[in-house]
Amino acid sequence: MQVLTHTKNRMFPGLKLALLGTAAALIALPVAAQAENPPRWVELDVPYVPTPDGAVAKMLEMGEVGPRDTVIDLGSGDGRIAIAAVRDRGAQTAMGVDIDPARVKEANANARKAKVEGRVTFKKQDLFKTDISKASVLTMYLLPDVNLKMRPVILDKLAPGSRVVSHAFTMGEWESDRREMVDGRSLYLWIVPAKAAGTWQVQSPEGAFSLTLQQQFQKVQASAERDGKALPVSAATLRGPELRFTLDDGGKPRQFVGMIEGDRMLARSGDGLQADWQATRQAR
C-alpha cells in the first residue's frame, strides 16, 4: 500500500496519518503506469488548519502591521494572512512559505483574486530553511515543538523591535508580551528584544557610571555603581531596542531611556527624560 502524504495530527503530534485515496487507484493501474506516475511524498511538519478570518485580523492588529512592514507568514496555507496583511493593513510586502505545493498554488491563485500578487509572494519552502531576517512582522500557526525550534532563530535573525504573532501556541519560557482571545482561540505577541546583557559604561552630564544588565528574553535586572559605590536602580524594562531605567543619583531620581544599537546605547530625549547621555558595552 502506497502512503502518499503523512503529517502530524494537531491534537496528537506523534500520530502519523496516511492519505490513501489516490493509493487505491494506483493498485488498479498496470505496473508500467505506476512507474510513470510515482507517488509524491510531502513531509509536513504541521498539518494544514486555516486560521479564521477574525483571528487573522486580530493577529495583524496585534502585530501593528502597517505600510512600512514586511510580513512573513510561516506555514502560509491558502495565503490568507499574507494577503490580508497587504490588502487590509497596507503592508509594504508579504511572503508566505509552505512546504505543500498544493497550498502554494492555492495561495498564489488567491493573491491574484485579491489583486495583490505584485506585493505578495508564496514559496514552496521548508520553514526552517527560510531567511526571516527581512521580516518586521512574523506570523505563524505551527505546533509547540516547532515554535521552540524556531525560537532561537527568531531571537538571532530578527531585528530588535520586530513583532512575532502566533496562533494557539507559545514560545515556552519566552513569555508573550500580549495575549488575546478570539472565539476561544489564543493569540500571542512577542516583541523581539535587543541583546542588552553586559556591563555598560554610561557617560552623562552628572558623571559617568557603570550599568550592569542581566537578561532573560525581554526581562532585565539592572544594577549601577560609580567609583565602587552602588547607585540604586529601579523600573528597568526592555521593549525591543528600548531600555528604560530610573537611577537614584544622590537622592535625585532620573529616568533614562536609551536605544540599543549593537554595543552602543543612545539617549532618547523627551519630557522628563535624562538627555545628553550615551553608553558603550564593555567587551565580554
Side-chain angles (χ1 to χ4, degrees), residues 88-202:
D88 303 336
R89 302 284 303 192
Q92 186 174 30
T93 60
M95 181 181 77
V97 297
D98 202 295
I99 203 168
D100 187 343
R103 298 280 75 80
V104 174
K105 182 178 180 180
E106 180 184 10
N108 280 317
N110 288 337
R112 287 192 294 272
K113 290 178 185 176
K115 299 181 179 179
V116 295
E117 66 270 26
R119 292 159 59 196
V120 179
T121 58
F122 295 98
K123 295 183 178 181
K124 177 187 175 299
Q125 193 164 273
D126 185 334
L127 64 89
F128 294 109
K129 297 178 181 178
T130 298
D131 179 6
I132 63 171
S133 61
K134 298 292 192 298
S136 56
V137 179
L138 186 74
T139 59
M140 51 195 195
Y141 182 18
L142 304 174
L143 287 171
D145 58 331
V146 181
N147 277 19
L148 290 179
K149 289 178 183 177
M150 283 300 303
R151 189 177 76 186
V153 180
I154 289 168
L155 290 167
D156 182 58
K157 298 299 183 182
L158 290 188
S162 301
R163 289 86 73 199
V164 180
V165 188
S166 172
H167 178 181
F169 301 111
T170 68
M171 294 274 194
E173 297 85 3
W174 183 13
E175 295 181 7
S176 62
D177 293 287
R178 178 181 170 188
R179 180 189 177 191
E180 296 286 347
M181 296 289 292
V182 175
D183 296 330
R185 298 169 181 270
S186 295
L187 308 175
Y188 301 91
L189 167 73
W190 294 265
I191 309 296
V192 176
K195 294 176 175 63
T199 298
W200 299 78
Q201 294 303 316
V202 182

